[in-house]
Amino acid sequence: MSSLGRSTRAMALGTVASRGTGFLRTAVIVAVLGVEGVGAAYTIANTTPNIVYELLLGGLLTSVVVPLLVRAARDDADGGLAYAQRLLTLTVLVLGGAAVLLVVAAPLLIDLYAGDLSPEARDLAVLLARFFLPQLLFYGAGAVLGAILNTRGSYAPPMWAPVLNNLVVIATGLVFLLVRSGQAVTVGSLTDGQVALLGIGTTLGIVAQTVALLPALRAAGVPLRPRFDLRGTGLRKAGRLAKWVLLFVVANQLAYIVVVNLSSSQELLDAGRGYPSYIAAYVLWQLPHAVVAVSIITALLPRMSRAAADGRTQDLRASLDRGLRLTAVVLVPASVALVVLGREVAVLVFARGEVSVADARFIGLLLGVFAVGLVPFSLYQLQLRAFYAMQDTRTPTLVNLGVNATLVTVDLVLFAVLPDDVRVVGLAAGHATSFGVGLLVCSMVLSRRIGGLDVAIVVRTVVRCLLAVLLPAVLAGLLAAGATRVVGDGPLGAAAALALGGAVLAGGGDRGK
């Protein structure tokens, strides 16, 4: 437990820095571009390389590559060095070629995800996507570099590298703000140079994030050398595992297409109640998950993979149980805090520039709904890694099909019955509901697979943390409401509400630990 805690703390520091600057990056971009025309085009275009990366390689890296690297490091005479170099070479070849083809196909991608954007906003999204899609290569190379470093016990560099990305994009947003010199940001008012500034600056951030890992790779004893003798990459074994991963990712993206298209109607975008607001809330919601759960997952996956490779199921189960309890202890108070103070957080972060207080409070409403699913989502993601450690990609895919079916069903029903101005709230509720279902099903299946989980202990941990923070949460909500009533609901009132409510919640959280 102590080694898990040390690894998690080391990664958490880097994650706090990267997610904190990412938090600022989102605030700057939203404030500069808004949540309507230009902001919508930028957000949709900047999402496309992430989507395609996940389809081509992201899920494979998460579920297959780390366990294979662990086994190669254990079994190969060179400690897996050649295997890692071949894998990186193959990734660059595949994603480099894909990036070139996708730049040409950018209009098709935007049409798939853009809903009913106006023709002008759609054209801007296509142009920006052509700047953004080369990021695909650097996302993949960076992910492989990070996986190699993790399997060799180097966790901090991949957690700190995104800070460079965020700083470059923040600088890009500020330069864009200076170039615009206070002019209103509308789709038809951007010059070619301003579009290029946004496109090139955003992509340079991903390049910097990837290049920053190279010194750590050399320090870990893995020279950066291309190898084209690809027979040793283990593709046959990976291919058997990857077919289920591909289905997993495709199901996720089909569900995501539903979310993007529902939230990208021009009516919702014009009202500041569409996809950019959804993404802004999602980014804030991801912060505690990334700091806590991702750090725990990253530390646990190599050790669970080693336990599975050695047939030590009891050790795998013990590591997983510790990770589940640690995740719950930290994230239950965090989720309650976001439910209670989500609007104030969003106002403090976003209510400036092109974003009104009303738009920011709507983002906060979405954040609070997302937060209901924070603990189920994080525990579910951790449980999936136990299957991947055992090189079982079939079971997570079958469970995930149910998760996506739940998400789409709830999304469609709530989108149809809710009033127009809160329809996107139903999409956040669908996200939270689906992972609650996923956690329940995954727990039952995984318990049978590994001879039991300490479900009762995890549930008691969640309930104990929830009860400890419940009364402070009510008091924090009352104090926050009073502060905004007296000071106003703008950034100053939000800061006062967060200071009062946050102090109460922090005290309650400390007493509950």
Side-chain angles (χ1 to χ4, degrees):
M1 184 69 174
S2 59
S3 95
L4 173 61
R6 286 193 299 271
S7 299
T8 301
R9 283 192 296 272
M11 286 183 289
L13 289 174
T15 305
V16 167
S18 64
R19 294 292 174 160
T21 52
F23 194 81
L24 181 58
R25 160 190 168 157
T26 301
V28 168
I29 291 298
V30 170
V32 170
L33 302 182
V35 293
E36 300 173 15
V38 175
Y42 178 93
T43 303
I44 291 172
N46 200 32
T47 302
T48 54
N50 294 275
I51 293 169
V52 177
Y53 162 69
E54 286 296 329
L55 282 170
L56 291 178
L57 196 58
L60 179 64
L61 285 172
T62 300
S63 58
V64 176
V65 168
V66 170
L68 290 178
L69 284 169
V70 166
R71 289 175 187 253
R74 184 195 65 172
D75 298 337
D76 294 355
D78 64 353
L81 175 61
Y83 187 94
Q85 291 172 332
R86 293 186 187 105
L87 179 62
L88 183 59
T89 301
L90 181 63
T91 300
V92 171
L93 291 174
V94 171
L95 295 185
V100 172
L101 294 175
L102 290 169
V103 167
V104 177
L108 298 176
L109 287 174
I110 294 301
D111 287 342
L112 181 62
Y113 287 97
D116 62 347
L117 285 179
S118 67
E120 295 81 6
R122 183 259 185 194
D123 291 343
L124 176 59
V126 170
L127 183 56
L128 287 170
R130 286 185 162 139
F131 284 106
F132 295 154
L133 283 165
Q135 297 172 15
L136 176 67
L137 169 60
F138 297 96
Y139 274 123
V144 173
L145 293 175
I148 294 170
L149 290 171
N150 288 342
T151 57
R152 291 171 180 266
S154 179
Y155 297 106
M159 295 298 185
W160 282 94
V163 173
L164 284 177
N165 175 20
N166 295 328
L167 293 177
V168 170
V169 177
I170 289 168
T172 298
L174 295 177
V175 171
F176 179 85
L177 183 63
L178 292 174
V179 168
R180 292 295 298 177
S181 300
Q183 303 173 41
V185 179
T186 60
V187 172
S189 68
L190 299 188
T191 66
D192 291 343
Q194 291 164 357
V195 175
L197 171 63
L198 289 173
I200 294 173
T202 302
T203 296
L204 282 177
I206 299 299
V207 175
Q209 174 178 316
T210 303
V211 172
L213 294 176
L214 298 182
L217 189 71
R218 288 193 294 272
V222 184
L224 187 65
R225 186 176 68 188
R227 297 186 67 118
F228 298 97
D229 51 334
L230 300 179
R231 290 185 180 181
T233 52
L235 288 179
R236 290 182 181 177
K237 187 173 186 179
R240 175 177 56 83
L241 300 171
K243 64 182 181 181
W244 288 103
V245 177
L246 180 61
L247 179 57
F248 184 109
V249 174
V250 168
N252 280 350
Q253 296 309 319
L254 290 175
Y256 189 68
I257 288 174
V258 173
V259 171
V260 176
N261 279 276
L262 288 176
S263 60
S264 296
S265 70
Q266 198 61 50
E267 180 183 359
L268 289 174
L269 295 174
D270 290 342
R273 300 291 187 270
Y275 181 65
S277 299
Y278 180 95
I279 286 296
Y282 186 85
V283 168
L284 294 185
W285 169 80
Q286 277 275 328
L287 180 61
H289 168 75
V291 171
V292 179
V294 171
S295 297
I296 292 172
I297 287 169
T298 305
L300 281 182
L301 182 55
R303 70 180 63 194
M304 288 195 299
S305 297
R306 294 186 190 99
D310 296 338
R312 294 181 284 110
T313 303
Q314 184 175 354
D315 290 344
L316 185 153
R317 184 171 61 247
S319 295
L320 177 61
D321 285 334
R322 287 195 297 269
L324 292 172
R325 293 197 302 273
L326 181 58
T327 300
V329 165
V330 181
L331 290 188
V332 169
S335 64
V336 172
L338 291 179
V339 170
V340 175
L341 301 174
R343 292 191 180 190
E344 286 71 30
V345 170
V347 168
L348 192 62
V349 174
F350 295 119
R352 58 184 54 84
E354 297 292 318
V355 181
S356 67
V357 171
D359 289 341
R361 288 183 67 81
F362 180 75
I363 294 173
L365 174 61
L366 289 171
L367 175 60
V369 176
F370 271 124
V372 174
L374 175 60
V375 174
F377 175 82
S378 297
L379 298 183
Y380 171 74
Q381 294 296 327
L382 184 54
Q383 288 184 348
L384 290 185
R385 270 52 180 193
F387 287 109
Y388 296 148
M390 296 181 287
Q391 296 197 349
D392 176 3
T393 55
R394 177 178 178 270
T395 304
T397 298
L398 295 177
V399 173
N400 198 58
L401 289 176
V403 169
N404 283 298
T406 303
L407 186 149
V408 170
T409 301
V410 175
D411 280 358
L412 291 174
V413 170
L414 293 181
F415 196 83
V417 302
L418 288 174
D420 291 349
D421 59 342
V422 292
R423 280 182 163 181
V424 176
V425 175
L427 305 184
H431 186 277
T433 302
S434 66
F435 287 105
V437 172
L439 176 62
L440 179 63
V441 175
C442 196
S443 296
M444 292 188 295
V445 175
L446 182 58
S447 181
R448 289 197 297 268
R449 177 68 180 275
I450 63 175
L453 282 172
D454 286 337
V455 175
I457 294 178
V458 175
V459 170
R460 284 199 299 271
T461 301
V462 170
V463 172
R464 187 175 67 249
C465 293
L466 189 59
L467 291 175
V469 79
L470 195 57
L471 183 58
V474 173
L475 180 57
L478 293 174
L479 289 173
T484 54
R485 182 179 294 274
V486 173
V487 184
D489 61 0
L492 185 59
L498 287 173
L500 293 172
V504 172
L505 282 173
D510 289 340
R511 287 192 298 271
K513 287 181 181 179

